[in-house]
Amino acid sequence: AQSVAQPEDQVNVAEGNPLTVKCTYSVSGNPYLFWYVQYPNRGLQFLLKYITGDNLVKGSYGFEAEFNKSQTSFHLKKPSALVSDSALYFCAVFTSGTYKYIFGTGTRLKVLA
Amino acid sequence: EAQVTQNPRYLITVTGKKLTVTCSQNMNHEYMSWYRQDPGLGLRQIYYSMNVEVTDKGDVPEGYKVSRKEKRNFPLILESPSPNQTSLYFCASSFSGGNGYTFGSGTRLTVV
């Protein structure tokens, strides 16, 4: 069965420091991997995706994610965090075999001034 | 503006009173889906549709119905709502399954 794990409920980081939000997945077949962000009282917004190619994917708002096939991970990263990055982040996986998306449980990022 | 529109944004209803949450997209997307978001559980897929008249169950379909008579609309129907369906609901659409979603703003449903 497909699954996505976000092992940290919350990540705290100081403004200006690098941030990492972790995601691991378990699928059969080649995954399509996504990161979404949710600000309070808003819907989810697409940040970036990996389908194939370069393992480092760049997305919106200065975020990037690194695909690691051997560790089945897709961690979200940003070199320098902003207070405005504070939000709820979701990792998701899609496979063409099942034609379904599976989301992780979300990680709340708090960037402290 | 390309968007997914859900209505209503907030709804309080009583147990057993049928309701419909509407979802419409203006991007000619083929793939549409409904999710519920609950604390600690993330987003769970209720139903999805790959195209007009093609729908399938997600992970938590019990107590819900959907229809896809037109490409742009994908309503979620609760025939007899119960308190355990109190949740935040999101509609989402995608050009195809692997393209990434555009989400609606959400519907916060309370069943008393």
Side-chain angles (χ1 to χ4, degrees):
Chain A
Q2 292 187 145
S3 66
V4 175
Q6 293 182 243
E8 301 152 319
D9 289 336
Q10 182 159 317
V11 170
N12 295 328
V13 64
E15 189 175 31
N17 282 4
L19 69 88
T20 298
V21 182
K22 295 178 181 176
C23 172
T24 59
Y25 63 91
S26 174
V27 301
S28 51
N30 293 321
Y32 295 43
L33 296 158
F34 301 85
W35 276 101
Y36 293 85
V37 59
Q38 184 180 30
Y39 297 102
N41 300 314
R42 303 280 296 274
L44 280 75
Q45 297 176 34
F46 171 84
L47 271 182
L48 50 81
K49 70 178 178 183
Y50 172 85
I51 297 177
T52 187
D54 195 348
N55 289 344
L56 187 64
V57 179
K58 294 191 185 300
S60 306
Y61 312 121
F63 283 94
E64 55 192 27
E66 188 168 12
F67 172 65
N68 187 316
K69 188 172 183 178
S70 62
Q71 296 185 5
T72 61
S73 67
F74 190 57
H75 300 333
L76 181 70
K77 301 183 180 190
K78 189 173 183 182
S80 179
L82 300 172
V83 172
S84 57
D85 293 330
S86 299
L88 187 56
Y89 290 81
F90 288 96
C91 181
V93 63
F94 173 90
T95 61
S96 54
T98 62
Y99 223 79
K100 288 170 65 172
Y101 282 91
I102 301 293
F103 282 80
T105 51
T107 298
R108 189 165 298 282
L109 174 67
K110 252 189 167 176
V111 181
L112 308 167
Chain B
E1 181 189 351
Q3 60 186 356
V4 176
T5 303
Q6 283 179 241
N7 282 298
R9 288 293 306 275
Y10 301 92
L11 179 60
I12 301 174
T13 190
V14 296
T15 299
K17 185 177 181 182
K18 181 179 177 180
L19 66 92
T20 299
V21 183
T22 63
C23 173
S24 181
Q25 51 92 5
N26 63 359
M27 297 164 282
N28 201 36
H29 284 170
E30 292 185 347
Y31 191 94
M32 297 186 74
S33 189
W34 277 101
Y35 288 86
R36 59 179 289 174
Q37 183 179 10
D38 300 291
L41 297 176
L43 275 79
R44 294 179 292 167
Q45 193 173 42
I46 303 170
Y47 270 94
Y48 65 100
S49 169
M50 290 184 278
N51 214 324
V52 175
E53 302 291 4
V54 181
T55 63
D56 206 351
K57 295 177 181 178
D59 297 313
V60 288
E62 295 79 19
Y64 305 94
K65 282 175 56 176
V66 293
S67 68
R68 188 94 182 269
K69 293 187 170 62
E70 310 161 278
K71 200 170 190 178
R72 63 184 294 126
N73 295 324
F74 190 46
L76 179 70
I77 302 155
L78 284 73
E79 294 267 3
S80 183
S82 62
N84 65 11
Q85 292 178 299
T86 292
S87 187
L88 179 58
Y89 291 86
F90 287 102
C91 180
S93 74
S94 172
F95 182 69
S96 66
N99 268 49
Y101 279 131
T102 300
F103 278 85
S105 299
T107 296
R108 187 167 292 282
L109 172 66
T110 302
V111 183
V112 298

